Amino acid sequence: MVYNKKTIEDIAVKGRNVLVRCDFNVPIKDDVITDETRLTGAIPTINYLIENGARVILCSHLGKPKGEPKPELSLKPVARRLAELLNREIVFAADDIVVGENARKAVAEMVDGDVVLLQNVRYRVEETENKEAFSRELASLAEIFVNDAFGTAHRAHCSTVGVTHFLDTCVCGYLMQKELKYLGEAVANPQRPFVAILGGAKISDKIKVINNLLEKVDSLIIGGGMAYTFLKAQGYEIGSSLLEEEKMAYALEMVAKAKERSVKLLLPVDNICGDSFSADAKTVVTDDENIPSGFMGMDIGPRSVKIFKEELNDAKTVVWNGPMGVFEFAGFAGGTLAIAATLAELEATTIIGGGDSVAAVNQLGFGKKMSHISTGGGASLEFLEGKVLPGIDACNDK
Ligand code: AMP
């Protein structure tokens, strides 16, 4: 899907009330935000709006309060930290009903350049049901809507889609624009060779991604737990590795599709195996694809790393989603580490497609070396599946 949506730079914002849907769904422990990536990601849009004299009303969800006010999922810590990051006052409108007395008063008192943060939109049960009344309430605060929450763009909720039915001007923020630029160009118009790397636990989560990417890429590398269903389907022994038996036929279909389209499909040719799913499992490295009984494949082996690296060396565009092994255990992180290190050195557009691969890349210290790290796990997968994302679709076309 190619999007050509209006952005904040295409509209006049001075003196206007602008409702910005951000993704402030940050991890919080003991009132402290433990990963600020999503806050810092939102700053460019907020700063642009402040500098251009808008009256900025921020909203977001946090966690899953399931339609009830839960104090531990209040956005208060976000308001506090955001005020520090922006170096200005932020009025936190702490209404349990989100658009309540505090919010209305705060918005009525705003002057140009002011910032108000609303309470967690998922305190309202209607939010995830995309109900009209709450959408209207949100829209009633503003004249313009900006969607900068790529992470929830695949969901049609009141604060991502419903609200756009009641405001004429709905545009994308900078963070959304960046996601569309990298993911959009990779999928629609990639510089070639275009290599995708898929890993992680399950084929079933990424079935449509595999299918869609096989129509776009020059090579597809498959590692992680999902590789073993492919290997088993091709007649190899996989011991007690992850297996989705009902997906074996599909795996063979994908192997055939790759051949038909002349896409190079690379699977592990050796494995690092453990005798149990634990950090201190007894390990063996296999000579080939086959895994002995009593062992499970928990990382790609050294020959696979070498072959995958060689394939990546010439790539001009790389999209990566899902670790090559159980990277959470040091003994099985080597494959993921090697792929991350290879990508970090490439003269190519490197895109990390959300979720666990982002955690892996950051944890291993390669975050800054990638061209783009997507802020949305589920959303980036749906993007790579070729689906229309309703939150983006609802913004005005250029
Ligand atoms: P996903 O969310 O689908 O990207 O899956 C990420 C998870 O897959 C991580 O928690 C990894 O530990 C897990 N994973 C990767 N490789 C394997 C494997 N060979 N066996 C079991 N789990 C794996």
Side-chain angles (χ1 to χ4, degrees), residues 230-273:
F230 277 86
L231 291 179
K232 175 83 175 171
Q234 290 178 291
Y236 296 107
E237 294 300 328
I238 61 160
S240 50
S241 303
L242 270 188
L243 172 66
E244 288 170 274
E245 230 169 322
E246 69 293 354
K247 294 292 175 288
M248 278 167 55
Y250 175 82
L252 288 180
E253 229 179 88
M254 292 302 104
V255 172
K257 181 168 177 172
K259 206 173 266 166
E260 215 174 89
R261 303 189 68 93
S262 304
V263 171
K264 215 163 152 189
L265 179 63
L266 291 95
L267 288 158
V269 296
D270 59 352
N271 305 284
I272 302 180
C273 310

Short mmCIF file of all heavy atoms in Angstrom, two decimals, residues 230-273:
data_model
loop_
_atom_site.label_atom_id
_atom_site.label_comp_id
_atom_site.label_asym_id
_atom_site.label_seq_id
_atom_site.Cartn_x
_atom_site.Cartn_y
_atom_site.Cartn_z
N PHE A 230 9.35 -25.25 8.62
CA PHE A 230 9.81 -25.34 7.23
C PHE A 230 10.74 -26.54 7.06
O PHE A 230 10.63 -27.29 6.08
CB PHE A 230 10.58 -24.07 6.83
CG PHE A 230 9.69 -22.93 6.40
CD1 PHE A 230 9.15 -22.07 7.33
CD2 PHE A 230 9.39 -22.73 5.06
CE1 PHE A 230 8.33 -21.02 6.94
CE2 PHE A 230 8.57 -21.69 4.65
CZ PHE A 230 8.04 -20.83 5.60
N LEU A 231 11.67 -26.72 8.02
CA LEU A 231 12.63 -27.82 7.89
C LEU A 231 11.92 -29.18 7.99
O LEU A 231 12.17 -30.09 7.20
CB LEU A 231 13.73 -27.70 8.96
CG LEU A 231 14.69 -26.51 8.78
CD1 LEU A 231 15.73 -26.47 9.90
CD2 LEU A 231 15.41 -26.54 7.42
N LYS A 232 11.03 -29.29 8.95
CA LYS A 232 10.29 -30.55 9.15
C LYS A 232 9.48 -30.88 7.88
O LYS A 232 9.47 -32.04 7.41
CB LYS A 232 9.36 -30.41 10.36
CG LYS A 232 8.45 -31.58 10.61
CD LYS A 232 9.15 -32.68 11.36
CE LYS A 232 8.20 -33.81 11.70
NZ LYS A 232 8.89 -34.97 12.23
N ALA A 233 8.83 -29.85 7.33
CA ALA A 233 8.01 -30.07 6.13
C ALA A 233 8.87 -30.56 4.97
O ALA A 233 8.38 -31.27 4.09
CB ALA A 233 7.30 -28.77 5.75
N GLN A 234 10.15 -30.22 4.99
CA GLN A 234 11.04 -30.65 3.91
C GLN A 234 11.74 -31.97 4.23
O GLN A 234 12.66 -32.37 3.52
CB GLN A 234 12.06 -29.55 3.62
CG GLN A 234 11.40 -28.33 2.97
CD GLN A 234 12.38 -27.21 2.71
OE1 GLN A 234 12.87 -26.58 3.65
NE2 GLN A 234 12.69 -26.97 1.46
N GLY A 235 11.32 -32.59 5.33
CA GLY A 235 11.79 -33.93 5.63
C GLY A 235 12.95 -34.03 6.59
O GLY A 235 13.48 -35.12 6.83
N TYR A 236 13.36 -32.93 7.19
CA TYR A 236 14.46 -33.00 8.17
C TYR A 236 13.92 -33.40 9.55
O TYR A 236 12.74 -33.21 9.85
CB TYR A 236 15.17 -31.65 8.27
CG TYR A 236 15.84 -31.23 6.98
CD1 TYR A 236 15.32 -30.21 6.19
CD2 TYR A 236 17.01 -31.87 6.55
CE1 TYR A 236 15.93 -29.83 5.00
CE2 TYR A 236 17.62 -31.50 5.35
CZ TYR A 236 17.07 -30.48 4.59
OH TYR A 236 17.68 -30.12 3.41
N GLU A 237 14.84 -33.91 10.39
CA GLU A 237 14.49 -34.22 11.79
C GLU A 237 14.65 -32.95 12.60
O GLU A 237 15.68 -32.27 12.48
CB GLU A 237 15.47 -35.28 12.35
CG GLU A 237 15.36 -36.63 11.68
CD GLU A 237 13.98 -37.24 11.84
OE1 GLU A 237 13.33 -36.99 12.87
OE2 GLU A 237 13.54 -37.94 10.90
N ILE A 238 13.67 -32.63 13.43
CA ILE A 238 13.80 -31.37 14.19
C ILE A 238 13.73 -31.59 15.71
O ILE A 238 13.59 -30.63 16.47
CB ILE A 238 12.76 -30.32 13.75
CG1 ILE A 238 11.32 -30.81 13.99
CG2 ILE A 238 12.96 -29.91 12.29
CD1 ILE A 238 10.31 -29.68 14.05
N GLY A 239 13.84 -32.84 16.16
CA GLY A 239 13.81 -33.11 17.61
C GLY A 239 12.58 -32.52 18.24
O GLY A 239 11.47 -32.65 17.72
N SER A 240 12.78 -31.80 19.38
CA SER A 240 11.62 -31.20 20.06
C SER A 240 11.52 -29.70 19.78
O SER A 240 10.98 -28.95 20.59
CB SER A 240 11.72 -31.47 21.56
OG SER A 240 13.01 -31.10 22.02
N SER A 241 12.03 -29.27 18.63
CA SER A 241 11.94 -27.84 18.26
C SER A 241 10.49 -27.42 18.10
O SER A 241 9.61 -28.26 17.91
CB SER A 241 12.62 -27.60 16.91
OG SER A 241 13.95 -28.02 16.94
N LEU A 242 10.28 -26.11 18.12
CA LEU A 242 8.94 -25.56 17.86
C LEU A 242 8.43 -26.10 16.54
O LEU A 242 9.14 -26.09 15.54
CB LEU A 242 9.02 -24.05 17.73
CG LEU A 242 8.85 -23.17 18.96
CD1 LEU A 242 8.76 -21.71 18.52
CD2 LEU A 242 7.60 -23.54 19.75
N LEU A 243 7.19 -26.60 16.55
CA LEU A 243 6.59 -27.11 15.32
C LEU A 243 5.13 -26.72 15.27
O LEU A 243 4.39 -26.91 16.24
CB LEU A 243 6.72 -28.64 15.26
CG LEU A 243 5.96 -29.32 14.11
CD1 LEU A 243 6.55 -28.94 12.75
CD2 LEU A 243 6.00 -30.85 14.26
N GLU A 244 4.73 -26.17 14.14
CA GLU A 244 3.30 -25.93 13.92
C GLU A 244 2.89 -26.89 12.81
O GLU A 244 3.00 -26.58 11.62
CB GLU A 244 3.06 -24.48 13.50
CG GLU A 244 3.25 -23.49 14.63
CD GLU A 244 3.26 -22.06 14.12
OE1 GLU A 244 4.32 -21.57 13.72
OE2 GLU A 244 2.19 -21.44 14.11
N GLU A 245 2.45 -28.06 13.26
CA GLU A 245 2.18 -29.14 12.32
C GLU A 245 1.17 -28.73 11.24
O GLU A 245 1.34 -29.06 10.06
CB GLU A 245 1.64 -30.33 13.10
CG GLU A 245 2.38 -31.58 12.73
CD GLU A 245 2.07 -32.75 13.64
OE1 GLU A 245 1.92 -32.53 14.87
OE2 GLU A 245 1.99 -33.86 13.11
N GLU A 246 0.18 -27.98 11.66
CA GLU A 246 -0.88 -27.61 10.72
C GLU A 246 -0.40 -26.57 9.71
O GLU A 246 -1.13 -26.24 8.77
CB GLU A 246 -2.14 -27.15 11.48
CG GLU A 246 -2.06 -25.83 12.24
CD GLU A 246 -1.11 -25.81 13.45
OE1 GLU A 246 -0.55 -26.86 13.82
OE2 GLU A 246 -0.90 -24.71 13.99
N LYS A 247 0.82 -26.08 9.90
CA LYS A 247 1.36 -25.09 8.95
C LYS A 247 2.41 -25.70 8.01
O LYS A 247 3.03 -24.99 7.22
CB LYS A 247 1.98 -23.91 9.70
CG LYS A 247 0.99 -23.09 10.50
CD LYS A 247 0.05 -22.33 9.57
CE LYS A 247 -1.04 -21.58 10.27
NZ LYS A 247 -2.11 -22.35 10.87
N MET A 248 2.60 -27.02 8.11
CA MET A 248 3.62 -27.65 7.27
C MET A 248 3.28 -27.56 5.78
O MET A 248 4.14 -27.26 4.95
CB MET A 248 3.85 -29.11 7.70
CG MET A 248 4.79 -29.18 8.89
SD MET A 248 4.85 -30.76 9.73
CE MET A 248 5.25 -31.90 8.46
N ALA A 249 2.02 -27.76 5.46
CA ALA A 249 1.62 -27.68 4.05
C ALA A 249 1.83 -26.27 3.53
O ALA A 249 2.30 -26.06 2.40
CB ALA A 249 0.15 -28.08 3.92
N TYR A 250 1.50 -25.31 4.38
CA TYR A 250 1.69 -23.90 4.00
C TYR A 250 3.17 -23.61 3.76
O TYR A 250 3.54 -22.92 2.80
CB TYR A 250 1.13 -22.99 5.11
CG TYR A 250 1.39 -21.53 4.86
CD1 TYR A 250 0.57 -20.79 4.02
CD2 TYR A 250 2.49 -20.89 5.44
CE1 TYR A 250 0.82 -19.46 3.77
CE2 TYR A 250 2.75 -19.56 5.19
CZ TYR A 250 1.91 -18.85 4.36
OH TYR A 250 2.18 -17.53 4.11
N ALA A 251 4.01 -24.15 4.64
CA ALA A 251 5.46 -23.93 4.49
C ALA A 251 5.92 -24.43 3.12
O ALA A 251 6.67 -23.74 2.42
CB ALA A 251 6.21 -24.63 5.63
N LEU A 252 5.44 -25.60 2.74
CA LEU A 252 5.82 -26.16 1.43
C LEU A 252 5.30 -25.29 0.28
O LEU A 252 5.99 -25.09 -0.72
CB LEU A 252 5.31 -27.59 1.28
CG LEU A 252 6.04 -28.63 2.13
CD1 LEU A 252 5.44 -30.02 1.90
CD2 LEU A 252 7.54 -28.65 1.83
N GLU A 253 4.11 -24.77 0.49
CA GLU A 253 3.53 -23.86 -0.52
C GLU A 253 4.43 -22.63 -0.71
O GLU A 253 4.65 -22.17 -1.83
CB GLU A 253 2.19 -23.37 0.03
CG GLU A 253 1.00 -23.47 -0.90
CD GLU A 253 -0.21 -22.96 -0.15
OE1 GLU A 253 -0.47 -21.75 -0.17
OE2 GLU A 253 -0.89 -23.79 0.52
N MET A 254 4.94 -22.14 0.41
CA MET A 254 5.81 -20.95 0.35
C MET A 254 7.15 -21.28 -0.32
O MET A 254 7.70 -20.47 -1.05
CB MET A 254 6.04 -20.36 1.76
CG MET A 254 4.83 -19.74 2.39
SD MET A 254 4.09 -18.38 1.40
CE MET A 254 2.68 -19.18 0.71
N VAL A 255 7.65 -22.48 -0.05
CA VAL A 255 8.90 -22.92 -0.70
C VAL A 255 8.66 -22.94 -2.22
O VAL A 255 9.49 -22.46 -3.01
CB VAL A 255 9.34 -24.31 -0.18
CG1 VAL A 255 10.51 -24.84 -0.98
CG2 VAL A 255 9.70 -24.23 1.31
N ALA A 256 7.51 -23.47 -2.62
CA ALA A 256 7.19 -23.55 -4.05
C ALA A 256 7.00 -22.16 -4.64
O ALA A 256 7.46 -21.87 -5.74
CB ALA A 256 5.92 -24.39 -4.24
N LYS A 257 6.34 -21.30 -3.88
CA LYS A 257 6.10 -19.93 -4.37
C LYS A 257 7.43 -19.20 -4.60
O LYS A 257 7.60 -18.49 -5.58
CB LYS A 257 5.22 -19.17 -3.37
CG LYS A 257 4.90 -17.75 -3.82
CD LYS A 257 3.81 -17.11 -2.98
CE LYS A 257 3.57 -15.67 -3.43
NZ LYS A 257 2.41 -15.06 -2.80
N ALA A 258 8.35 -19.40 -3.65
CA ALA A 258 9.67 -18.76 -3.78
C ALA A 258 10.35 -19.23 -5.06
O ALA A 258 10.90 -18.42 -5.82
CB ALA A 258 10.53 -19.07 -2.55
N LYS A 259 10.30 -20.53 -5.30
CA LYS A 259 10.94 -21.10 -6.49
C LYS A 259 10.32 -20.51 -7.76
O LYS A 259 11.02 -20.05 -8.66
CB LYS A 259 10.77 -22.63 -6.46
CG LYS A 259 11.87 -23.35 -7.22
CD LYS A 259 11.77 -24.86 -7.03
CE LYS A 259 12.64 -25.38 -5.90
NZ LYS A 259 12.29 -26.75 -5.53
N GLU A 260 9.00 -20.51 -7.77
CA GLU A 260 8.25 -19.98 -8.91
C GLU A 260 8.63 -18.54 -9.25
O GLU A 260 8.74 -18.15 -10.39
CB GLU A 260 6.78 -19.99 -8.49
CG GLU A 260 5.75 -20.29 -9.53
CD GLU A 260 4.43 -20.39 -8.78
OE1 GLU A 260 3.77 -19.35 -8.63
OE2 GLU A 260 4.11 -21.49 -8.28
N ARG A 261 8.83 -17.75 -8.19
CA ARG A 261 9.10 -16.32 -8.39
C ARG A 261 10.59 -16.02 -8.41
O ARG A 261 11.00 -14.87 -8.37
CB ARG A 261 8.43 -15.51 -7.28
CG ARG A 261 6.94 -15.74 -7.18
CD ARG A 261 6.30 -14.75 -6.24
NE ARG A 261 6.35 -13.41 -6.78
CZ ARG A 261 5.38 -12.84 -7.49
NH1 ARG A 261 4.27 -13.49 -7.72
NH2 ARG A 261 5.52 -11.63 -7.96
N SER A 262 11.41 -17.06 -8.40
CA SER A 262 12.87 -16.92 -8.36
C SER A 262 13.35 -16.10 -7.17
O SER A 262 14.28 -15.30 -7.27
CB SER A 262 13.40 -16.29 -9.65
OG SER A 262 12.99 -17.02 -10.75
N VAL A 263 12.66 -16.25 -6.06
CA VAL A 263 13.12 -15.62 -4.81
C VAL A 263 13.98 -16.65 -4.09
O VAL A 263 13.61 -17.82 -3.98
CB VAL A 263 11.92 -15.24 -3.91
CG1 VAL A 263 12.40 -14.78 -2.54
CG2 VAL A 263 11.09 -14.15 -4.57
N LYS A 264 15.14 -16.18 -3.63
CA LYS A 264 16.02 -17.10 -2.91
C LYS A 264 15.48 -17.24 -1.48
O LYS A 264 15.37 -16.24 -0.76
CB LYS A 264 17.42 -16.48 -2.88
CG LYS A 264 18.53 -17.46 -2.96
CD LYS A 264 19.79 -16.71 -3.33
CE LYS A 264 20.99 -17.44 -2.79
NZ LYS A 264 22.21 -16.66 -2.95
N LEU A 265 15.12 -18.45 -1.09
CA LEU A 265 14.61 -18.68 0.27
C LEU A 265 15.70 -19.39 1.06
O LEU A 265 16.12 -20.50 0.70
CB LEU A 265 13.34 -19.54 0.22
CG LEU A 265 12.70 -19.89 1.56
CD1 LEU A 265 12.22 -18.64 2.28
CD2 LEU A 265 11.52 -20.83 1.37
N LEU A 266 16.19 -18.73 2.11
CA LEU A 266 17.28 -19.31 2.90
C LEU A 266 16.79 -19.72 4.27
O LEU A 266 16.20 -18.91 5.00
CB LEU A 266 18.42 -18.30 3.06
CG LEU A 266 19.19 -17.97 1.79
CD1 LEU A 266 18.63 -16.72 1.14
CD2 LEU A 266 20.66 -17.75 2.10
N LEU A 267 17.04 -20.97 4.61
CA LEU A 267 16.69 -21.51 5.93
C LEU A 267 17.98 -21.92 6.63
O LEU A 267 19.02 -22.08 5.96
CB LEU A 267 15.78 -22.72 5.75
CG LEU A 267 14.37 -22.39 5.28
CD1 LEU A 267 13.71 -23.59 4.62
CD2 LEU A 267 13.52 -21.90 6.45
N PRO A 268 17.95 -22.12 7.95
CA PRO A 268 19.18 -22.53 8.63
C PRO A 268 19.71 -23.86 8.08
O PRO A 268 18.92 -24.76 7.78
CB PRO A 268 18.74 -22.71 10.09
CG PRO A 268 17.44 -22.03 10.22
CD PRO A 268 16.81 -21.97 8.87
N VAL A 269 21.03 -23.93 7.93
CA VAL A 269 21.64 -25.19 7.48
C VAL A 269 22.33 -25.90 8.64
O VAL A 269 22.85 -27.00 8.49
CB VAL A 269 22.65 -24.95 6.33
CG1 VAL A 269 21.94 -24.40 5.10
CG2 VAL A 269 23.76 -24.00 6.78
N ASP A 270 22.38 -25.23 9.78
CA ASP A 270 22.85 -25.86 11.03
C ASP A 270 22.21 -25.13 12.20
O ASP A 270 21.64 -24.04 12.02
CB ASP A 270 24.38 -25.87 11.12
CG ASP A 270 24.98 -24.47 11.07
OD1 ASP A 270 24.24 -23.51 10.79
OD2 ASP A 270 26.20 -24.33 11.30
N ASN A 271 22.26 -25.71 13.37
CA ASN A 271 21.51 -25.16 14.50
C ASN A 271 22.27 -25.30 15.81
O ASN A 271 23.02 -26.26 16.00
CB ASN A 271 20.18 -25.93 14.66
CG ASN A 271 19.37 -25.94 13.39
OD1 ASN A 271 18.75 -24.95 13.04
ND2 ASN A 271 19.42 -27.05 12.66
N ILE A 272 22.01 -24.35 16.70
CA ILE A 272 22.48 -24.52 18.08
C ILE A 272 21.27 -24.99 18.88
O ILE A 272 20.22 -24.33 18.86
CB ILE A 272 23.07 -23.22 18.64
CG1 ILE A 272 24.21 -22.76 17.73
CG2 ILE A 272 23.54 -23.42 20.09
CD1 ILE A 272 24.89 -21.49 18.15
N CYS A 273 21.43 -26.15 19.50
CA CYS A 273 20.27 -26.77 20.14
C CYS A 273 20.48 -26.88 21.65
O CYS A 273 21.62 -26.96 22.12
CB CYS A 273 20.07 -28.18 19.60
SG CYS A 273 20.07 -28.24 17.81
#
